[in-house]
Amino acid sequence: MQITEVSASGLKREYKVVIAAAALESTVNEKLEGLRERVNMPGFRPGKAPAALIKKQYGKALLGEVMEEQVNTALQKAIDDNKLRPAMQPKVDIVSFDEGKDFECTIALEVLPEIVPGDFKQIKLERLVVEPGDAEVDEFMTRLSEQQKTYEKVERAAEKGDQVVIDFVGSVDGVKFEGGAADDYPLVLGSNSFIPGFEDQLIGAKAGDAVTVKVTFPEAYGNTDLAGKAAEFACTMKEVRGGTAVTLDDEFAKRFGLASLQELKDNIKKDLGQEYKGMARLKLKRGLLDQLADQHSFPVPEGMVEMEFGQIWGEIAADADRLAAELKEEGKSEDELKAEYRGIAERRIRLGLLLSEVGRINNIEVKPDEITRAMIEQARRFPGQERQVMEYFQKNPEAAQSLRAPIFEDKVVDFIIEMADVTEKPVTKEELQKEAEAVAS
């Protein structure tokens, strides 16, 4: 076997592999002899079938098997001898192969770049801090009580806060549109769950009344065919239901499995604190990743970038409305938008490689019990199907391992944050939410 480096440019490597015909034939003959001892052929006792007959029937399959083994051996030898760290699965191309002649192929691959992490102690970060107060707890309690409110039929005009049952049919320029109609729809007036202005026009109507509701879809409406357009909804009021507020007391708390109202409030305050910490962490992590991206510049494997870009663009292109909206909003051509997302893909790959290298150097690992906990958390997202979800992960190791990446990333991020210079900044809940929305956009 001869392995020759053909080219080495940047992160790309290419090798020519030549395997002598005699070596291939010798290995095939060895496998044929071993097969001959086991195979049963009509008319011959086990192990007594002629070698020529065995070769005629199984020779090509064994030759293919030997070629694959030899190529894998050559690939591993090239990796070991040159101390390579492949970024992706190598590409093998057969150059020439004829029976009785040398086999020749090329192996092309991209390697991981040399990465030198910077001094993380020089990174300066700001952690936003919000301590939930009584006002936030009371606000949450109010929303919780609204959700538990009961409604009963009343014989009067609808008021804000009532639940009404309606039939409606929507149209634009006299033409009905898909998804614009429903029967027996329960709607709480003042919930703002419909288009702005819709609910207000039902206030004052009684059961049996027909009401024509006129609204204009928001410019940023999800369905671009309706965005910004005036519409009419022919509504029939079928029933008005008055709401009965619940009393916030210990009995109310027992609906949630708690002993007292104070315990419910304490739990809400704790949960709000965790929610705020999660939002603050997203902001902190974005700040860290931005600095890491600015401070580290190294080449990244083109194949990895193209694969990441393909996934990103595939999701966008699959939604024609989303693509059209982005092109309109950004004022760019499709090629310009692709270039922008390719840049995003390159940044993601570079940061991913950096975090991976930091984890490797510092022996950061994801333990089996951490993956198990992640599996349990995923299962909890599907009430009533927990067992099926767990079985899916147990039967599909690749799916289970897909949970490893976010855990590993968070552990590396935490490792870097521990070394960074982090200062805390008290902010209001509104300021924190604004920052979190900016990170998500």
Side-chain angles (χ1 to χ4, degrees), residues 99 126 150 156 176 180 202 207 314 332 335 340 344 346 421:
E99 192 170 352
E126 188 176 70
T150 58
R156 59 169 172 77
K176 298 177 184 178
L202 296 178
K332 298 176 180 178
D335 286 342
E340 182 179 315
I344 293 173
E346 183 174 330
D421 180 7

Side-chain angles (χ1 to χ4, degrees), residues 260-434:
S260 67
L261 184 64
Q262 187 58 51
E263 186 178 356
L264 175 59
K265 289 183 176 181
D266 291 342
N267 278 13
I268 290 173
K269 190 170 187 177
K270 180 180 177 181
D271 290 344
L272 287 174
Q274 291 299 320
E275 180 184 340
Y276 294 159
K277 285 181 180 178
M279 295 164 64
R281 176 181 166 77
L282 289 177
K283 169 66 175 176
L284 183 70
K285 182 177 178 180
R286 168 60 71 86
L288 172 63
L289 295 180
D290 286 344
Q291 290 192 47
L292 291 177
D294 291 340
Q295 296 173 9
H296 295 82
S297 179
F298 51 83
V300 294
E302 292 179 12
M304 295 182 74
V305 174
E306 286 303 314
M307 181 176 291
E308 180 70 17
F309 168 72
Q311 292 178 344
I312 296 173
W313 189 254
E315 292 178 4
I316 295 172
D319 188 340
D321 289 339
R322 177 185 173 186
L323 178 57
E326 286 211 36
L327 290 171
K328 180 180 179 181
E329 182 179 343
E330 297 289 336
K332 298 176 180 178
S333 68
E334 186 169 316
D335 286 342
E336 289 174 327
L337 198 60
K338 281 184 176 181
E340 182 179 315
Y341 277 108
R342 187 171 276 104
I344 293 173
E346 183 174 330
R347 171 191 157 103
R348 286 186 184 178
I349 296 298
R350 182 173 287 107
L351 284 171
L353 291 176
L354 173 62
L355 295 179
S356 179
E357 185 67 3
V358 172
R360 186 184 71 84
I361 294 173
N362 295 282
N363 299 313
I364 297 174
E365 298 179 347
V366 177
K367 299 177 181 178
D369 64 303
E370 292 174 316
I371 294 180
T372 300
R373 283 199 297 271
M375 291 167 56
I376 293 173
E377 289 176 7
Q378 288 290 318
R380 285 175 178 166
R381 295 174 58 189
F382 301 91
Q385 302 179 49
E386 292 89 348
R387 183 173 60 83
Q388 293 93 321
V389 173
M390 292 297 291
E391 287 179 354
Y392 170 77
F393 282 120
Q394 290 165 359
K395 294 177 181 178
N396 296 272
E398 289 185 3
Q401 282 302 312
S402 70
L403 301 175
R404 177 187 178 279
I407 300 173
F408 178 79
E409 180 178 294
D410 280 343
K411 294 185 75 170
V412 175
V413 165
D414 288 339
F415 174 81
I416 298 174
I417 290 175
E418 283 294 321
M419 289 187 285
D421 180 7
V422 182
T423 57
E424 293 190 346
K425 178 184 176 182
V427 296
T428 65
K429 178 189 70 173
E430 290 73 22
E431 289 172 329
L432 177 61
Q433 289 174 333
K434 185 177 180 180

Side-chain angles (χ1 to χ4, degrees), residues 4-20:
T4 308
E5 187 176 76
V6 176
S7 65
S9 176
L11 300 178
K12 295 182 178 181
R13 304 287 186 273
E14 186 172 337
Y15 298 90
K16 182 176 77 171
V17 177
V18 178
I19 304 172

Side-chain angles (χ1 to χ4, degrees), residues 17-21 24 67 71 94 96-97 101-105:
V17 177
V18 178
I19 304 172
L24 286 174
M67 286 167 55
V71 169
I94 296 176
S96 64
F97 173 66
K101 295 184 179 180
D102 294 348
F103 169 78
E104 182 179 335
C105 72

Side-chain angles (χ1 to χ4, degrees), residues 70-254:
Q70 292 289 325
V71 169
N72 289 336
T73 299
L75 173 59
Q76 193 58 52
K77 181 173 175 56
I79 290 173
D80 294 341
D81 290 351
N82 296 280
K83 298 180 180 179
L84 304 177
R85 295 171 62 197
M88 300 176 64
Q89 184 68 27
K91 180 182 179 183
V92 178
D93 286 322
I94 296 176
V95 177
S96 64
F97 173 66
D98 288 309
E99 192 170 352
K101 295 184 179 180
D102 294 348
F103 169 78
E104 182 179 335
C105 72
T106 59
I107 298 176
L109 70 158
E110 285 188 283
V111 297
L112 295 175
E114 290 295 326
I115 302 173
V116 181
D119 183 2
F120 300 139
K121 294 180 181 179
Q122 300 301 314
I123 294 178
K124 296 184 182 297
L125 298 171
E126 188 176 70
R127 178 184 282 114
L128 304 182
V129 179
V130 178
E131 292 296 336
D134 293 339
E136 285 92 346
V137 173
D138 290 342
E139 180 184 339
F140 192 94
M141 290 284 291
T142 299
R143 293 201 303 269
L144 199 59
S145 66
E146 284 294 321
Q147 293 171 5
Q148 298 294 316
K149 183 184 289 187
T150 58
Y151 294 92
E152 293 183 1
K153 183 178 178 180
V154 293
E155 299 297 335
R156 59 169 172 77
E159 301 174 357
K160 187 174 182 179
D162 286 343
Q163 183 185 72
V164 296
V165 179
I166 58 173
D167 294 345
F168 63 86
V169 178
S171 61
V172 173
D173 295 329
V175 180
K176 298 177 184 178
F177 55 88
E178 185 177 354
D183 291 332
D184 297 323
Y185 190 94
L187 174 64
V188 176
L189 303 183
S191 64
N192 298 318
S193 55
F194 269 30
I195 306 164
F198 188 105
E199 296 168 22
D200 292 341
Q201 296 178 55
L202 296 178
I203 294 176
K206 297 180 180 180
D209 287 353
V211 181
T212 299
V213 173
K214 298 181 179 181
V215 294
T216 300
F217 283 96
E219 291 291 343
Y221 194 66
N223 186 339
T224 55
D225 292 335
L226 299 175
K229 292 184 178 180
E232 289 189 359
F233 287 84
C235 302
T236 300
M237 184 77 75
K238 302 182 76 172
E239 195 172 293
V240 178
R241 299 171 179 172
T244 302
V246 297
T247 302
L248 297 177
D249 54 15
D250 291 345
E251 288 301 315
F252 177 73
K254 290 177 182 178

